[in-house]
Amino acid sequence: MISVSGLHKSYSELHVLRGVDFEVTAGSIFALLGSNGAGKTTILRILATLLKPDGGTATVNGFDVVSQPAEVRESISLTGQFAAVDEILTGRENLILIGRLRRVDDPKGTADDLLARFGLAEAAGRRVATYSGGMRRRLDIAMSLIGTPPVIFLDEPTTGLDPEGRIEVWQVIQQLADSGTTVFLTTQYLEEAEKLADRIAILHQGTIIVSGTLAELRELLPPASVEYVERQPTLEEIFLAIVKEQR
Amino acid sequence: MTTHALSDTSVMLGRSVRHVTRSLDTIITVTIMPIAFLLLFRYVFGGAIETGTDNYVNYLMPGILLIAIASGITYTAYRLFMDLQRGIFERFHSMPIARSSVLWGHVLTSLVSNGISVVVILLSGLVIGFRSSAGPLAWLAVAGILGLFTLALTWVAVIPGLTASTVDGAAAFSYPIVFLPFVSSAFVPTETMPGPVRAFAENQPVTSIVNSIRALLEQQPVGTEIWTALAWCTGILVVAYALAMRAYRRKIG
C-alpha cells in the first residue's frame, strides 16, 4: 500500500533522511518510531505530498508522490501533530466543510454519522474553541475519515492527550484497521506501538535501523529470562480505576 | 479542474465569511477608527481647514474609506497566519482540492468584509451630512475602484500572512498603508504642503484614487487622474500577487 525506497531529504546543512526504505501492507497498522527530530514528520509530509524528497521514491496506493500528487491526495488523509480543526466553526460545520471539499454525496448526513460514532453528537453545535483536547483530536480523526480514503496518516495521534483520551483514540485506530483502512502512524510512545501496530519500524539517524513485527523485534534481544517480580499497579491503572469509580 | 476550483473556492469563501460573521467585532474594530476620524475632522479640525468646498464631509469621505480598507485587510493576514499556525492549511493541502482555492477563499472574503465596512461608513456619513448626487454609473465606478484597491491591498496582506513568524508581525505591515492617506489629498488640498511633502503627496497612489472617487461622487469630470489611479491599483495588484505566489510556493515546498 505504501512503498518507500532510498528516500533522502536535507534541510540546508541538516541531512534528515539518508536512505529510508520500508513497505506497508494494505489494511495493516504501521508504526514509525523515533526520537524527537529523527525525521518522522518529514517522512509523513513527503508521503502526504506536502514536501518533495531530494532523492528516492515513494508510492502510496500505487501512485508516485512526486509525479502523481493529485491521485495520492485522493487516496489519503492526514491528521497532523496539532489537531488541525477550525476553532471558529462548530464540530458539525468542520465535518461538513471537509465533506464538501471531498465531494461526498451527503456532507450533512456523513457529518452526523461521524459525530455519533465519535461521541461528539452532543457537542456538535458548539464551537470547537470550547472543546477539550481529546474532543478536538477525535474531531480531527473524524475529519480524516470523510470520503473513506484507503490510507490514513496519523502524526503522533495521542501526544498531549490524557490517559482516557489516548485509549479512545487507540480504539478508533483499531476500528479503522479492522475495517480495512491502512494506518500509518508516528509515535514516540513505545507502548502505543506495542498495543496497536502490526509492524514497527525504528527511524534513527536518517535510516530505518530495524523493522518487523513486535515478535520479530523481540527476537533481536537475548531470550526472555524468567524472573519473579512483585507487580505493583501502574499509576495509569490507578488513575483509570479511580476515574471510572467516580462516574 | 476549473469547475473544482470554483466550487472549492466557494466552499472556502463560505468558511472564511463565517469567520467574519462569527466575530462581528472585527467589522466594528475596522469601522470604528475611520468613523472616529470622520467625526474628528468634521467637528474638530474641519472648521479650520480650507478646502474650497462647502461640504467638508463629502471632501473627507474617499480618504476615510481608503483608511477603512487599509486597516480591514489586516484581518486577511491574520486569518491566513492562524490557518498556517493551526495546521488546517496543511490539512487542505493534503486533500484532493484545487490548491488555489485556499488563498482565493481568503481574498474573496476580504472583498466581502471590506464591502460591509464601506457600507457601514457611508451610512454613518449620511448621518453627519454626507451627500452625493452621483448616479448609479458613477457609484458603480466608485465601487469598482474601491474593489480593485481592496483586491490589490489584500494580495499585499497575503504576503505577511504567509511569511510572518508572529501574529504581530502579520499585522504590522498595514500601519504605513493606513498612514498614507494622511499625506495625500484626503484631508487637505496638497497645494498647502511644503515642497518635498507636496511632491510625495501628489505622486503617491492615494491622492489619485481619492481625487477620482471625489470627482465621481461630486459629478465632476475625472480627467486623466482615474487612469493614474487604476494604474496604481493594477500595478500594486500584479506585483503583490507575484510576490504572494512566490511566498506561497516557498511555503508549500
Side-chain angles (χ1 to χ4, degrees):
Chain A
M1 201 52 154
I2 303 173
S3 173
V4 170
S5 81
L7 211 58
H8 278 264
K9 181 73 194 177
S10 310
Y11 295 107
S12 56
E13 293 296 286
L14 196 64
H15 208 154
V16 188
L17 305 179
R18 307 154 181 261
V20 172
D21 307 271
F22 62 83
E23 299 274 332
V24 181
T25 51
S28 67
I29 301 180
F30 182 90
L32 183 63
L33 297 179
S35 7
N36 279 336
K40 302 188 298 287
T41 302
T42 302
I43 293 180
L44 212 85
R45 287 171 51 90
I46 290 173
L47 292 175
T49 74
L50 295 171
L51 194 67
K52 286 200 174 65
D54 296 336
T57 57
T59 61
V60 176
N61 199 17
F63 302 111
D64 188 274
V65 294
V66 178
S67 60
Q68 300 166 293
E71 287 83 355
V72 172
R73 282 176 216 139
E74 290 282 356
S75 315
I76 62 159
S77 253
L78 170 67
T79 296
Q81 232 172 84
F82 309 99
V85 293
D86 189 317
E87 304 231 326
I88 295 167
L89 302 183
T90 67
R92 189 162 185 269
E93 287 168 341
N94 265 286
L95 291 164
I96 294 174
L97 172 75
I98 301 296
R100 293 224 167 99
L101 290 173
R102 281 209 176 252
R103 281 168 247 288
V104 297
D105 291 333
D106 177 15
K108 288 181 180 157
T110 310
D112 290 332
D113 287 349
L114 284 166
L115 287 164
R117 188 170 147 200
F118 283 83
L120 293 168
E122 249 173 72
R126 264 171 37 208
R127 286 193 201 188
V128 172
T130 66
Y131 283 22
S132 70
M135 291 164 79
R136 272 171 210 230
R137 198 59 65 92
R138 258 150 48 209
L139 178 64
D140 193 4
I141 295 176
M143 284 160 77
S144 294
L145 304 191
I146 295 173
T148 51
V151 181
I152 292 200
F153 295 113
L154 300 164
D155 194 7
E156 303 199 358
T158 58
T159 300
L161 291 188
D162 59 24
E164 289 169 297
R166 194 150 36 121
I167 291 169
E168 283 170 9
V169 169
W170 284 349
Q171 285 167 350
V172 171
I173 295 173
Q174 196 59 60
Q175 285 164 14
L176 274 178
D178 292 345
S179 67
T181 307
T182 307
V183 179
F184 180 106
L185 65 91
T186 71
T187 183
Q188 24 176 341
Y189 301 125
L190 305 182
E191 187 198 353
E192 187 162 296
E194 201 170 333
K195 277 232 165 81
L196 290 172
D198 299 310
R199 289 185 77 82
I200 298 164
I202 299 176
L203 180 68
H204 186 66
Q205 293 182 337
T207 55
I208 303 285
I209 47 171
V210 285
S211 78
T213 63
L214 186 59
E216 285 166 359
L217 295 190
R218 281 204 174 114
E219 280 169 17
L220 295 173
L221 292 180
S225 57
V226 180
E227 273 179 54
Y228 292 97
V229 182
E230 188 182 283
R231 191 177 171 281
Q232 299 279 357
T234 64
L235 184 56
E236 179 169 330
E237 286 165 341
I238 298 168
F239 176 90
L240 292 170
I242 294 172
V243 171
K244 211 172 254 173
E245 264 172 33
Q246 296 286 322
R247 282 191 174 162
Chain B
M1 198 60 202
T2 41
T3 53
H4 279 197
L6 287 181
S7 66
D8 290 344
T9 303
S10 80
V11 174
M12 292 295 190
L13 172 65
R15 160 184 182 248
S16 179
V17 164
R18 206 162 273 181
H19 283 206
V20 177
T21 54
R22 290 275 157 88
S23 44
L24 276 179
D25 53 312
T26 59
I27 297 275
I28 296 168
T29 326
V30 167
T31 51
I32 204 146
M33 186 186 61
I35 291 174
F37 279 133
L38 197 59
L39 297 173
L40 195 65
F41 276 90
R42 166 74 173 82
Y43 294 110
V44 182
F45 304 139
I49 295 174
E50 201 51 63
T51 60
T53 53
D54 42 356
N55 186 335
Y56 187 54
V57 181
N58 285 359
Y59 190 89
L60 281 176
M61 194 48 93
I64 295 289
L65 294 178
L66 297 193
I67 288 179
I69 292 169
S71 58
I73 51 144
T74 322
Y75 284 98
T76 302
Y78 170 75
R79 290 192 197 101
L80 196 52
F81 180 80
M82 293 316 275
D83 274 8
L84 280 156
Q85 286 288 300
R86 300 244 163 88
I88 202 157
F89 191 81
E90 291 219 319
R91 158 165 258 145
F92 290 145
H93 280 86
S94 70
M95 286 173 56
I97 59 169
R99 288 189 158 191
S100 59
S101 67
V102 179
L103 291 185
W104 274 104
H106 281 289
V107 170
L108 296 179
T109 300
S110 169
L111 286 175
V112 173
S113 69
N114 280 299
I116 299 172
S117 305
V118 163
V119 170
V120 169
I121 292 168
L122 284 173
L123 292 176
S124 321
L126 284 178
V127 178
I128 61 164
F130 168 71
R131 295 290 178 269
S132 170
S133 52
L137 265 181
W139 274 107
L140 206 62
V142 170
I145 295 172
L146 290 176
L148 189 62
F149 182 71
T150 309
L151 193 62
L153 287 194
T154 302
W155 278 106
V156 173
V158 168
I159 302 167
L162 286 169
T163 55
S165 47
T166 64
V167 67
D168 293 328
F173 77 97
S174 72
Y175 301 143
I177 305 178
V178 174
F179 189 71
L180 270 186
F182 291 98
V183 194
S184 80
S185 63
F187 299 104
V188 294
T190 51
E191 292 81 30
T192 59
M193 300 174 188
V197 181
R198 179 177 175 183
F200 174 78
E202 287 180 352
N203 292 293
Q204 59 122 320
V206 171
T207 294
S208 62
I209 299 169
V210 162
N211 290 351
S212 306
I213 295 175
R214 195 178 281 150
L216 285 164
L217 292 179
E218 298 278 328
Q219 295 194 290
Q220 301 290 318
V222 288
T224 57
E225 201 127 36
I226 193 162
W227 300 114
T228 316
L230 292 177
W232 270 115
C233 290
T234 314
I236 294 168
L237 175 61
V238 169
V239 172
Y241 181 78
L243 291 175
M245 288 321 281
R246 201 174 73 163
Y248 174 72
R249 275 192 294 273
R250 239 178 234 173
K251 205 81 210 176
I252 60 167

